[in-house]
Amino acid sequence: MISRLLNSFAIALREIRRNVSRALLTMLGIIIGVAAVITMTTLGDGATKAVRDQISSLGSNLIMVMPGMGFGPRSRGAGVPNFTLDDVEDLAEVSGIAAAAPIRSTSVPTIYRTRARTTRVTGTYSAYFDINRWSLSEGRFFTEEEQTSAAAVCVIGSTVAEELLAGEEVLGTRLRVGRAVLTVVGVLKSKGQAGMGDQDDTIVIPLTTLQRRLGGRSSSRDVDQISLSAEDDVDSDALLTEISQLMRERRGITNGQDDNFNVFDTRQIAETMSSSTQMMTTLLAAVAGVSLLVGGIGIMNIMLVSVTERTREIGIRLAIGARPREVLEQFLVEALVLSSVGGLLGILLALGLSAGLAKIISVDFVFNTHINIVAFLFSAAVGIVFGFAPARRAARLDPIQALAHE
């Protein structure tokens, strides 16, 4: 049995070598199909990982509480009140909350010598850095004492350091931020781009410093949003429900009225976005898989042509004692070899395409052994399925009619 299959394999390779150009054209559909499926899946996995990494970089078990009634133009509708520091203090007491920090943000001109740019300035507490997973490339964070005394200090993002202070000594440098002159005490490690833009284009200062030195608000206790960190292993759904109930009570929202705030859990956002990305990847891979079926039709057509061309050869084999089953095996092996070689070439093409496109769209190249194996086995199965009809036709030839074929 094994020797017969090996002999069939040798004959199949001989037939491929006899007409290489036709064999390559036959395999083209399989090559494109396998390459498309693997490339789409690999890029999708890379995009999913990028989404998870970006959301993870926002904070550890991060929960954001923001005023508004939804996304888009209505998110900050007229009459929607901001939060207060009292809200922050109450939320910090909720069971399951590890830390809480208020956030007040504004964009102001930032000047250093002759260089100037408009930068997002965030006033907050020192807990903000732990909640949002910020680490330092140099220097330090501001302290609680500096928060209490409204010290003229700031921690800057890497983009601000590069744009304003490139080539300069950063720590101890004094920047004009709006109406205030602040001393740089630390530089944040880069987090890169996220859904809201460049995370590194930021200046973080004590909230009291923003209130007293930059001003611009009627109430010094108003904050734009609240950043919370949940404890590990806490029931996320129950915690979000408790936060929502507390905020409804504090904001005087009665039964039947819609919330005028939003609570976002980064873990849920990560799961939702990853699920959406994977769904799109699966859809694209399924569409790309259609070309595998087209490739199988191409193999069937060429095998039918091959049976016609080799009718006399088949007749001779049957006449000298070959069994129909052996002829069937021969042509199935040839179809299998064509589709398998096409699958291997498709995998090689996909690896090159995936690596190149991953660099272009700035996602990680995530090699998925499982999808490569599945794509190869599917290509081999396509060869067997679509090669069966020509193989059966060859096996059913009448030896006398086959020998008489011109």
Side-chain angles (χ1 to χ4, degrees):
M1 175 68 177
I2 296 177
S3 60
R4 187 170 71 245
L5 290 176
L6 290 175
N7 184 58
S8 298
F9 182 75
I11 295 174
L13 291 178
R14 184 196 67 193
E15 292 299 324
I16 292 175
R17 288 197 303 269
R18 180 181 295 176
N19 199 330
V20 176
S21 59
R22 187 172 75 176
L24 287 174
L25 290 174
T26 303
M27 293 184 289
L28 189 60
I30 297 294
I31 295 172
I32 293 175
V34 169
V37 169
I38 294 176
T39 300
M40 290 297 100
T41 304
T42 301
L43 294 179
D45 289 344
T48 300
K49 182 177 182 298
V51 168
R52 288 186 176 276
D53 290 345
Q54 287 182 353
I55 293 176
S56 176
S57 72
L58 296 177
S60 175
N61 301 335
L62 177 65
I63 298 173
M64 298 300 299
V65 186
M66 305 177 68
M69 297 178 289
F71 296 99
R74 297 180 64 242
S75 62
R76 295 296 297 270
V80 176
N82 284 321
F83 299 120
T84 68
L85 293 180
D86 293 332
D87 294 326
V88 180
E89 293 168 4
D90 280 2
L91 286 172
E93 297 300 321
V94 172
S95 176
I97 295 297
I103 295 174
R104 182 189 286 186
S105 297
T106 185
S107 293
V108 297
T110 305
I111 302 171
Y112 176 71
R113 293 181 180 175
T114 60
R115 303 169 190 159
R117 67 194 314 273
T118 299
T119 307
R120 184 182 72 255
V121 177
T122 297
T124 186
Y125 292 169
S126 56
Y128 169 85
F129 300 107
D130 287 333
I131 294 173
N132 291 273
R133 281 188 179 175
W134 281 110
S135 56
L136 292 165
S137 61
E138 56 181 311
R140 63 176 178 83
F141 299 123
F142 57 78
T143 64
E144 291 186 8
E145 290 77 10
E146 289 170 329
Q147 157 65 28
T148 303
S149 63
V153 296
C154 66
V155 180
I156 64 175
S158 59
T159 298
V160 177
E162 292 169 4
E163 295 290 334
L164 285 181
L165 304 172
E168 302 279 349
E169 179 64 33
V170 178
L171 298 182
T173 298
R174 294 166 66 83
L175 301 178
R176 176 167 289 280
V177 181
R179 298 183 302 179
V181 177
L182 307 178
T183 301
V184 178
V185 297
V187 180
L188 300 169
K189 280 188 179 179
S190 175
K191 283 190 177 184
Q193 297 286 330
M196 69 291 294
D198 185 1
Q199 298 183 83
D200 303 318
D201 187 10
T202 186
I203 296 177
V204 186
I205 64 177
L207 178 61
T208 51
T209 303
L210 184 140
Q211 292 168 337
R212 299 177 191 176
R213 296 178 183 269
L214 273 68
R217 287 288 177 88
S218 57
S219 173
S220 63
R221 296 188 66 80
D222 280 359
V223 293
D224 296 326
Q225 60 190 58
I226 303 171
S227 184
L228 306 171
S229 178
E231 295 176 354
D232 293 334
D233 302 323
V234 71
D235 186 336
S236 179
D237 293 334
L239 181 58
L240 295 180
T241 299
E242 187 173 355
I243 291 172
S244 295
Q245 290 175 345
L246 174 61
M247 294 310 300
R248 285 180 65 88
E249 292 174 6
R250 288 199 53 84
R251 294 166 80 83
I253 301 173
T254 59
N255 291 334
Q257 289 183 318
D258 293 332
D259 293 342
N260 59 7
F261 61 91
N262 292 290
V263 181
F264 301 100
D265 179 5
T266 51
R267 287 177 291 187
Q268 293 180 342
I269 295 172
E271 291 172 1
T272 300
M273 294 186 69
S274 296
S275 176
S276 299
T277 305
Q278 290 171 351
M279 186 180 300
M280 287 300 299
T281 299
T282 302
L283 178 61
L284 291 172
V287 172
V290 173
S291 57
L292 273 174
L293 300 180
V294 175
I297 294 173
I299 287 178
M300 182 173 64
N301 289 337
I302 293 300
M303 292 303 296
L304 287 172
V305 172
S306 180
V307 169
T308 301
E309 290 177 345
R310 296 159 61 187
T311 299
R312 189 172 179 83
E313 173 193 328
I314 296 168
I316 293 173
R317 293 186 62 187
L318 292 171
I320 61 177
R323 290 175 293 179
R325 188 181 68 182
E326 294 172 344
V327 175
L328 178 70
E329 288 177 0
Q330 173 62 51
F331 280 88
L332 279 179
V333 168
E334 290 186 20
L336 177 62
V337 169
L338 280 172
S339 60
S340 298
V341 172
L344 289 174
L345 293 176
I347 290 173
L348 294 176
L349 177 61
L351 293 178
L353 284 173
S354 299
L357 291 174
K359 288 183 178 180
I360 292 174
I361 64 177
S362 300
V363 299
D364 289 339
F365 172 71
V366 181
F367 181 77
N368 189 327
T369 304
H370 176 74
I371 192 60
N372 281 268
I373 293 174
V374 168
F376 174 75
L377 293 178
F378 190 77
S379 68
V382 165
I384 294 175
V385 170
F386 285 90
F388 181 77
R392 185 174 62 174
R393 178 178 175 180
R396 289 182 173 183
L397 286 175
D398 181 85
I400 296 176
Q401 292 181 354
L403 287 170
H405 181 78
E406 293 295 335

